[in-house]
Amino acid sequence: MATINENFLKLESSYLFSTIAKKVNAYKEANPDKKIIRLGIGDVTQPLAPAVIEAMHKAVDELSTESTFRGYGPEQGYDFLRKAIAENDFIKRGININIDEVFVNDGAKSDTGNIGDIFSTDNIVCLTDPVYPVYMDSNTMAGRKIIYSPCNAENNFVAALPKEHVDIIYLCYPNNPTGTVITRDQLKKWVDYALANQAIILYDAAYEAYIQEENIPHSIYEIEGAKKCAIEFHSYSKTAGFTGVRCGYTIVPKELDTLRSLWLRRQTTKFNGTSYIQQRAAEAIYSEEGKKQVKKTIQYYMENARLMRETFASMGFDVYGGVNAPYIWIKVPEVAQEGVSSSWSFFDKLLTLANVVGTPGVGFGAAGEGYFRFTAFGKREDCIEALERIKAVKDLL
Ligand code: MLT
């Protein structure tokens, strides 16, 4: 008899953003006349950069003639993209990354979830809390022990190093969901911990393109010794609006040669590469025009973030994030009733009173209780209208 992986039974019955979508759809069905503004899931709203569109059209044309047609590509990505990544995202920043350390994928979610395949299930995992649910769910599926390092206003959203021994550490900076960042000195402490404890850091840099301030690390490899202990994940979803296109990459450094070989082995078996069209699209964001166009869109979202930060602060909320990241994290009023979550209560009130959707902080982990996340990826007019609606019902929230 085929038996199931019982670890799946330990998961929440549905993925956070699916639960939210179900609630919103039920409300919409019951109230078809209401215009709902969605600032929940971090999905982009601005069209792709013209340079990207042009590259995709060209790639499609190439596939239409026998002489330029391509079938299966290399599982780890075409060299033209791996080269553009190594040069633009690393070498220009003084980080020595070779193209065979670059693994192109269909987005950071897949690789941050799949990377566990190359690690033993006995490894103890450390997650900051609140956390992107993929790290928690994928390790729960594998049956690994997880310990949490809480991040909240009391510790300025800086996670403490684990007190007990851990083998794998997930860090995401700029952080999803809190929108906060890590300094070089703080990140160095994690690298030093990992080196001293022979632990591996899985560093999710999906939001690095949103960093506005100087001196915030864009890559963990800016920290000395990190190539001996860290794997890094990047995504074009947020950088270049590829949430629907799907492309990203993972760096597994040569210094971690066993892990690099295992990851290559894993990918060649289970992954057939990202399409030629997507990879040409990704390459186009590194052209001079592409860089300018992508930057302009990022500035658009960061202006949303500024508006949201300032408006929530003017309403009296404690506001975090939104300076170097497209997420705003606010403290919500406490609900005195026992067993009632302040985060979910705020979600329900916001949906029914203002018809605005956000994400309850507790959905990202226990330490997110009492907080709420808004994405800055909405359209400007929707952000403005949502803020006006929230202002109008503020006293009822
Ligand atoms: C989020 O809203 O946290 C992100 O959109 C999720 C993701 O990138 O998969």
Side-chain angles (χ1 to χ4, degrees):
M1 190 180 92
T3 52
I4 60 160
N5 175 351
E6 297 211 347
N7 292 319
F8 276 65
L9 306 178
K10 298 177 201 152
L11 297 168
E12 291 283 334
S13 61
S14 123
Y15 186 63
L16 173 63
F17 293 108
S18 315
T19 307
I20 291 173
K22 268 186 230 145
K23 274 182 174 262
V24 175
N25 290 341
Y27 180 80
K28 207 168 164 51
E29 225 163 84
N31 302 274
D33 55 317
K34 304 279 192 205
K35 183 195 161 210
I36 294 172
I37 300 179
R38 294 169 196 261
L39 302 176
I41 191 163
D43 197 3
V44 293
T45 53
Q46 295 306 294
L48 295 169
V52 166
I53 296 292
E54 200 183 307
M56 287 172 97
H57 280 301
K58 194 164 163 249
V60 170
D61 286 345
E62 283 180 49
L63 300 185
S64 72
T65 61
E66 216 176 286
S67 60
T68 48
F69 172 77
R70 290 165 194 250
Y72 291 126
E75 293 89 346
Q76 57 277 42
Y78 286 103
D79 280 0
F80 62 79
L81 178 56
R82 299 168 89 199
K83 192 163 169 279
I85 290 167
E87 274 172 12
N88 289 281
D89 289 348
F90 298 98
I91 295 166
K92 279 190 183 158
R93 290 192 178 130
I95 302 164
N96 183 23
I97 291 287
N98 199 286
I99 66 165
D100 52 9
E101 296 170 297
V102 181
F103 294 77
V104 175
N105 61 33
D106 63 354
K109 182 178 188 173
S110 310
D111 278 12
T112 52
N114 291 331
I115 195 79
D117 279 10
I118 63 170
F119 291 100
S120 156
T121 51
D122 298 340
N123 284 323
I124 299 173
V125 172
C126 172
L127 300 182
T128 55
D129 175 11
V131 72
Y132 179 41
V134 173
Y135 319 150
M136 180 168 59
D137 285 2
S138 56
N139 281 290
T140 304
M141 288 171 187
R144 287 193 191 92
K145 180 179 171 190
I146 304 175
I147 64 145
Y148 294 92
S149 185
C151 299
N152 47 36
E154 282 74 57
N155 61 13
N156 215 11
F157 298 94
V158 178
L161 292 174
K163 290 198 176 64
E164 59 185 288
H165 172 82
V166 299
D167 306 293
I168 299 174
I169 298 157
Y170 285 72
L171 296 177
C172 172
Y173 289 104
N175 186 253
N176 179 13
T178 64
T180 55
V181 285
I182 196 164
T183 63
R184 280 204 181 79
D185 288 348
Q186 288 161 347
L187 189 52
K188 184 175 181 315
K189 288 190 181 137
W190 286 97
V191 170
D192 291 346
Y193 173 95
L195 292 171
N197 290 275
Q198 292 181 302
I200 292 292
I201 298 176
L202 301 176
Y203 194 75
D204 187 348
Y207 298 92
E208 65 81 17
Y210 287 80
I211 294 173
Q212 307 291 309
E213 295 179 321
E214 298 289 322
N215 292 324
I216 305 289
H218 286 253
S219 163
I220 194 166
Y221 304 124
E222 291 176 34
I223 310 298
E224 207 190 323
K227 286 188 85 185
K228 293 193 194 117
C229 66
I231 292 174
E232 184 166 281
F233 304 90
H234 286 249
S235 164
Y236 298 111
S237 290
K238 316 295 156 95
T239 305
F242 277 32
T243 53
V245 175
R246 311 305 309 149
C247 195
Y249 66 88
T250 296
I251 302 291
V252 190
K254 281 202 178 124
E255 285 78 348
L256 297 174
D257 210 33
T258 304
L259 291 179
R260 199 171 65 98
S261 309
L262 296 184
W263 184 242
L264 179 63
R265 188 68 188 84
R266 189 261 176 217
Q267 290 298 79
T268 47
T269 297
K270 291 195 181 181
F271 185 59
N272 252 343
T274 312
S275 86
Y276 177 66
I277 304 164
Q278 287 151 275
Q279 294 190 55
R280 282 292 183 199
E283 182 196 26
I285 74 162
Y286 296 112
S287 67
E288 278 319 304
E289 277 310 299
K291 276 183 197 159
K292 275 189 223 145
Q293 293 162 358
V294 163
K295 197 168 173 197
K296 196 166 156 220
T297 306
I298 289 174
Q299 291 314 325
Y300 174 93
Y301 293 132
M302 290 313 287
E303 175 59 13
N304 286 350
R306 185 192 65 79
L307 279 173
M308 294 165 95
R309 257 190 309 117
E310 291 180 1
T311 311
F312 281 116
S314 75
M315 284 189 252
F317 287 99
D318 290 335
V319 184
Y320 308 94
V323 176
N324 293 294
Y327 293 122
I328 317 291
W329 187 248
I330 66 167
K331 185 102 184 84
V332 294
E334 250 172 60
V335 173
Q337 208 181 328
E338 213 178 304
V340 177
S341 150
S342 309
S343 294
W344 278 108
S345 165
F346 192 82
F347 173 90
D348 289 335
K349 285 190 198 154
L350 203 65
L351 177 61
T352 53
L353 298 174
N355 303 145
V356 172
V357 180
T359 310
V362 71
F364 297 102
E369 174 54 14
Y371 292 91
F372 202 80
R373 192 194 80 172
F374 289 99
T375 153
F377 287 123
K379 293 184 191 143
R380 176 72 41 76
E381 59 273 24
D382 285 347
C383 280
I384 292 172
E385 189 177 335
L387 292 169
E388 276 166 10
R389 289 191 201 171
I390 296 169
K391 252 195 218 164
V393 298
K394 156 86 180 73
D395 294 340
L396 303 171
L397 292 170

